[in-house]
Amino acid sequence: MSSLALPVTDPELEARLRARMAVVEEALDSHVRSEAAFVTEAARHLMQAGGKRFRPLLVLLAAETGDQADSDDIITAACVVELTHLASLYHDDVMDEADLRRGAASANARWDNHVAILTGDFLFSKSSELTAGLGPGGVRIQAQTFTRLVEGQILETLGPGEGDDPLEHYLRVVAGKTGSLIATSAQYGAIYSGATSDVEAALTEYGEKVGVAFQLSDDILDIASESHESGKTPGTDLREGVLTLPTLIAMRSQDPADHRLKTLLSQDLSDDDLHAETLALIRQHPAMDEARRYVSGLANEAKELLKVLPDGPVRAALDAFADVVATRSA
Ligand code: FPP
Ligand code: MG
């Protein structure tokens, strides 16, 4: 592991997290092996393409709040959340018809939809097998998380119903598809390190908020970034007709100058020229800054929850984690 996806100022904590991430990385590699060589290749494809490993890192960091941060269950829990996440990416890229992920060809682009879907299933079943080692409590949490992930994804696909506020609907989607698994990462870290139930509750809520902030900043990046920065194709959400925080804020504008943008956002954007025009208009719209402010607000709320922890390097690192997520550029 070359570097951690978050700044840890305490050298001892950094060294410990780095060493534990290396153990997680090795464990992940062993868990994606199958007796069928092709399955191993397909399952390794996205894992080896990179990724920030935010979720397992959060498990390790949250585990520092208990007195058994070094337990084997922590490594298992870190693998469970990363494999669940990885599984969902294989499926997500099929639904989005994405061709790029983590700077590499997505599995559906490199092979086909069937391979991508079944590889996602394989990774999800590996993750489920591992939860058995955590006992019924751990299995229940993962199952509930899976339910929320899928519900979030379905709600996104359906779009807001009659009378639903589009922004509220979107925030529900985001809480389900991303908040849930990041909340579980923090919760697992607390539980399997033996943290108190107060700390477990605070970290779970912290994870949920950080998770929502993480997805919102991902949605902002989908508009703002160039593909060489994000490893994905920019403007994918627009092309798929999915309105996210910046576009939903712009849609609320009553300013006549926004008429063209709002008209574009209400129509099919699979045409390259219309897509490029919309992307250019939204990129320089004040809604982008408003969206960023909303994300920073969430990160601040998450940091407030850390008051349950004593001052020190662990709390400072969790604080930094919330900030990194809110201001990420990739
Ligand atoms: C990425 O979001 C996708 C998710 C966070 C979750 C997707 C969930 C499913 C497909 C449900 C199935 C789950 C499993 C475990 C098999 P995005 O498309 O907004 O972000 P992107 O820019 O990374 O594509
Ligand atoms: Mg996607």
Side-chain angles (χ1 to χ4, degrees), residues 29-307:
D29 189 63
S30 71
H31 294 315
V32 298
R33 281 195 205 134
S34 156
E35 278 173 24
F38 177 75
V39 179
T40 308
E41 186 193 348
R44 271 188 176 160
H45 175 65
L46 281 187
M47 204 171 72
Q48 292 186 338
K52 295 170 285 290
R53 309 285 194 258
F54 259 122
R55 292 160 186 81
L57 185 55
L58 182 55
V59 175
L60 299 185
L61 195 49
E64 295 286 331
T65 63
D67 53 12
Q68 301 138 49
D70 287 340
S71 77
D72 289 345
D73 282 353
I74 289 296
I75 301 297
T76 303
C79 291
V80 165
V81 295
E82 186 61 16
L83 291 176
T84 302
H85 169 59
L86 207 55
S88 77
L89 295 183
Y90 279 77
H91 285 192
D92 184 63
D93 285 340
V94 172
M95 295 187 68
D96 288 352
E97 298 176 35
D99 46 23
L100 206 58
R101 168 73 69 182
R102 296 179 167 173
S106 61
N108 44 305
R110 173 158 173 193
W111 293 285
D112 59 32
N113 282 353
H114 294 94
V115 169
I117 291 168
L118 290 167
T119 306
D121 290 344
F122 170 78
L123 289 165
F124 186 66
S125 35
K126 281 287 171 187
S127 164
S128 303
E129 251 181 62
L130 280 176
T131 56
L134 297 175
V139 172
R140 183 176 298 110
I141 292 171
Q142 194 224 13
Q144 288 168 339
T145 309
F146 189 36
T147 303
R148 290 191 62 200
L149 269 172
V150 173
E151 279 173 350
Q153 191 74 3
I154 293 175
L155 282 177
E156 177 173 291
T157 309
L158 288 177
E162 269 304 296
D164 284 349
D165 176 69
L167 189 52
E168 269 171 37
H169 170 88
Y170 164 74
L171 291 172
R172 265 180 74 198
V173 164
V174 168
K177 74 175 195 177
T178 313
S180 61
L181 187 56
I182 299 190
T184 295
S185 306
Q187 186 178 13
Y188 271 167
I191 295 177
Y192 297 109
S193 67
T196 64
S197 54
D198 278 357
V199 168
E200 180 196 331
L203 284 185
T204 308
E205 212 185 321
Y206 160 92
E208 179 89 19
K209 285 186 189 293
V210 167
V212 170
F214 184 79
Q215 181 66 47
L216 298 182
S217 52
D218 191 72
D219 293 347
I220 295 171
L221 279 173
D222 183 69
I223 293 171
S225 75
E226 300 300 335
S227 61
H228 62 87
E229 293 165 332
S230 67
K232 305 178 206 171
T233 309
T236 301
D237 294 330
L238 284 179
R239 202 177 283 280
E240 291 302 306
V242 175
L243 296 185
T244 61
L245 189 57
T247 44
L248 285 166
I249 293 173
M251 282 300 272
R252 287 183 158 187
S253 162
Q254 296 299 323
D255 188 340
D258 288 330
H259 181 73
R260 175 70 184 156
L261 174 60
K262 285 169 68 182
T263 307
L264 285 165
L265 288 173
S266 310
Q267 68 187 63
D268 178 73
L269 292 173
S270 46
D271 174 84
D272 284 348
D273 290 341
L274 291 179
H275 180 263
E277 184 186 352
T278 314
L279 199 54
L281 282 175
I282 187 71
R283 276 179 173 171
Q284 42 100 37
H285 195 278
M288 293 299 281
D289 274 339
E290 199 178 324
R292 290 188 179 104
R293 277 196 299 278
Y294 184 85
V295 176
S296 313
L298 263 179
N300 288 336
E301 285 173 30
K303 290 193 282 186
E304 275 292 304
L305 290 159
L306 298 176
K307 281 187 174 152

